[in-house]
Amino acid sequence: MSDKGLNKLYIYKIALVASIGGFLFGYDLVIISGALPFLEADFGLSPAMKGFAVSSAILGAISGPLVGLWCADRLGRRKTMMLASFFFMISAIGSGLALGIWDFALWRFLGGVGIGLAMMSSPIYIAELAPPHLRGVLVNVNQLSNVIGINLAVIAGYLFSFDGWGWRWMMFSEGLPVVFLVMGLLVIPESPRWLVAQRRGGEALKILERINGRRRAEEELAEINAGLQQEAGGSFREAWQPGIRTALIIGTILMIFSQVNGVNMMLLYAPTIMAEAGVSMGSSAILSSIPVYFVILVCTLLAFPLIRKFSRRGLLIASVSLMALGHLVMALNLYQGWPPMFTLIPMFIGTGAFTLGFAPLSWIIASEIFPTRIRSKALAVVCFFLYLSSFVIAQFFPMLTDFFTRSFGDAAGVYVLFAAVCLSCVWFSWKKVPETKGLSLEEIGRFWQGKGATESSRKNGVPESVS
């Protein structure tokens, strides 16, 4: 597709603002790891309560899509992101002022609701405004912001790693990017596809015209209208119709794989993994994780040209295959007891491969695979299972590691299991995930409708050629 008439600067500004939600997700994920030792000392936390302090935000994220489901359809994508900003801000202030673990966990839970809202609405919003040939790159801006948030959280955690109010300033620091998000949301437009669904075509045309010029805007508006007329009304029952049901299952399973593949645990527990292996940089456990987080930042930048050049499925399969290799190398490393610094190599392979392909592509595919009318509902279901699986794996990873270490003398078996999960994902991606690169959202919607007609015909005994 030609870039003639395309206002790229305007598109990138919109994507940058929307991706601040991804930044906050990454920042929130890592800042708690820096605060945890100080929370443990101040509140006298048991191991179970330490886990609760971390997982309370994930529990909130599970409920976020359920709240966002209504908001994204009724209020719009932009206002849903604004609501997420509100939850982020009260969480930053409340958790910084917490007097005990229970109110701290409550504020973290509310911040998790903001995460769920933002990570559901931001990819939808970017995908619905992006031209088809730029959609993958622009949705990956969300992943880049996420990784930048992770790296800055490591730095903030180190700067505020002092007794007294140190951990409180870590929590307060999350409020600063929220201010920038709110300011940006005040000036960016609503999703034109949502506006058309609300019968506000005139407003949608003005936004599309600013993005693509008058001629292309009119063509795109006609395509959106035609797509909405062909699609169902958007209820959960309709999301389970043949064809669309297949898209829902594929999106959900792909997102579950994105959480249970083991690489997220490498990121979340990077300081712990390297400290247990004997790797450290200076006296700070936080600093020891910087090489891993720097690698994922570089790989996220490299992912932009890769997403533009290669097919979705091809890059996805290659990425997950390398992740499996990283896990197998880690298992061999632990089993053989190689030098501590060698632990960095499989971590670089696994986390680098994840951020080069699987991490951005899981969100790209999930944000574009569903028809417009049911996109927010379908993505809410997908995000619910994403955060549920994230919560489960975060809770069971330390238990699995402890079990294998006590039973076999090392944790190598954990990484063999993760390698098996990755290889299962390779098979699933090869067999089930369709190629969506370069297709408009309306073309993807028609693809699933055609597949649904084929499935119905098969069920009724009609030959596929006839349907």
Side-chain angles (χ1 to χ4, degrees), residues 45 107 280 392 442:
L45 301 182
W107 296 116
S280 64
V392 170
E442 287 67 43

Side-chain angles (χ1 to χ4, degrees), residues 31-46 49-54 56 95-105 108 162-164 166-168 170-171:
I31 198 66
I32 185 63
S33 65
L36 197 57
F38 302 98
L39 286 169
E40 182 181 9
D42 281 7
F43 296 155
L45 301 182
S46 66
M49 294 309 292
K50 284 172 61 178
F52 183 56
V54 174
S56 54
S95 58
L97 295 174
L99 300 177
I101 186 57
W102 289 104
D103 58 323
F104 178 83
R108 290 280 298 164
F162 51 82
D163 292 330
W167 69 264
R168 297 183 185 275
M170 292 184 200
M171 298 295 106

Side-chain angles (χ1 to χ4, degrees), residues 91-395:
S91 173
I93 296 172
S95 58
L97 295 174
L99 300 177
I101 186 57
W102 289 104
D103 58 323
F104 178 83
L106 172 63
W107 296 116
R108 290 280 298 164
F109 176 88
L110 293 176
V113 174
I115 290 173
L117 288 171
M119 293 306 288
M120 187 193 80
S121 55
S122 294
I124 292 178
Y125 177 82
I126 296 172
E128 290 186 345
L129 271 93
H133 67 297
L134 291 178
R135 190 168 57 240
V137 171
L138 291 174
V139 174
N140 193 41
V141 171
N142 204 53
Q143 175 66 18
L144 175 61
S145 293
N146 180 281
V147 173
I148 292 173
I150 288 173
N151 280 269
L152 289 182
V154 173
I155 296 172
Y158 177 70
L159 292 176
F160 294 123
S161 58
F162 51 82
D163 292 330
W165 273 59
W167 69 264
R168 297 183 185 275
W169 285 112
M170 292 184 200
M171 298 295 106
F172 289 145
S173 67
E174 194 170 348
L176 184 60
V178 176
V179 174
F180 288 104
L181 175 58
V182 172
M183 292 172 60
L185 289 172
L186 292 174
V187 298
I188 64 174
E190 182 53 83
S191 161
R193 283 173 171 80
W194 180 82
L195 289 171
V196 173
Q198 302 300 309
R199 300 180 181 179
R200 294 161 61 181
E203 297 174 53
L205 181 61
K206 290 179 182 179
I207 297 168
L208 292 170
E209 185 175 349
R210 186 170 182 185
I211 294 173
N212 267 321
R214 181 75 183 185
R215 181 176 177 180
R216 177 57 193 150
E218 291 176 346
E219 293 174 353
E220 193 168 359
L221 183 63
E223 291 173 4
I224 294 171
N225 273 311
L228 289 174
Q229 289 173 5
Q230 291 175 5
E231 293 170 7
S235 69
F236 273 114
R237 181 180 298 177
E238 289 153 353
W240 200 245
Q241 289 180 342
I244 299 176
R245 175 179 59 209
T246 303
L248 183 62
I249 293 172
I250 289 173
T252 300
I253 293 177
L254 192 63
M255 279 303 205
I256 291 174
F257 270 128
S258 77
Q259 298 303 304
V260 302
N261 60 70
V263 173
N264 275 348
M265 295 304 98
M266 285 185 174
L267 296 175
L268 190 59
Y269 291 98
T272 302
I273 293 171
M274 288 188 287
E276 289 177 350
V279 180
S280 64
M281 295 177 64
S283 60
S284 174
I286 297 174
L287 281 181
S288 68
S289 62
I290 284 181
V292 175
Y293 294 132
F294 179 74
V295 165
I296 68 172
L297 175 60
V298 172
C299 288
T300 302
L301 293 171
L302 293 175
F304 282 94
L306 293 178
I307 290 170
R308 292 206 67 171
K309 183 174 183 180
F310 296 105
S311 67
R312 303 271 199 265
R313 290 175 72 252
L315 185 57
L316 180 63
I317 290 170
S319 169
V320 183
S321 298
L322 281 174
M323 288 161 55
L325 175 63
H327 286 314
L328 291 175
V329 174
M330 176 66 90
L332 190 60
N333 165 53
L334 295 174
Y335 180 74
Q336 295 290 344
W338 289 337
M341 287 300 295
F342 189 85
T343 304
L344 288 171
I345 295 177
M347 293 188 75
F348 288 162
I349 295 173
T351 58
F354 181 62
T355 47
L356 279 172
F358 197 8
L361 286 173
S362 58
W363 283 105
I364 291 169
I365 293 171
S367 67
E368 67 186 9
I369 199 173
F370 305 113
T372 301
R373 284 281 182 94
I374 59 102
R375 185 170 296 120
S376 59
K377 291 181 176 64
L379 201 57
V381 173
V382 167
C383 286
F384 174 83
F385 282 102
L386 178 149
Y387 293 120
L388 181 61
S389 58
S390 177
F391 174 76
V392 170
I393 196 68
Q395 290 295 306

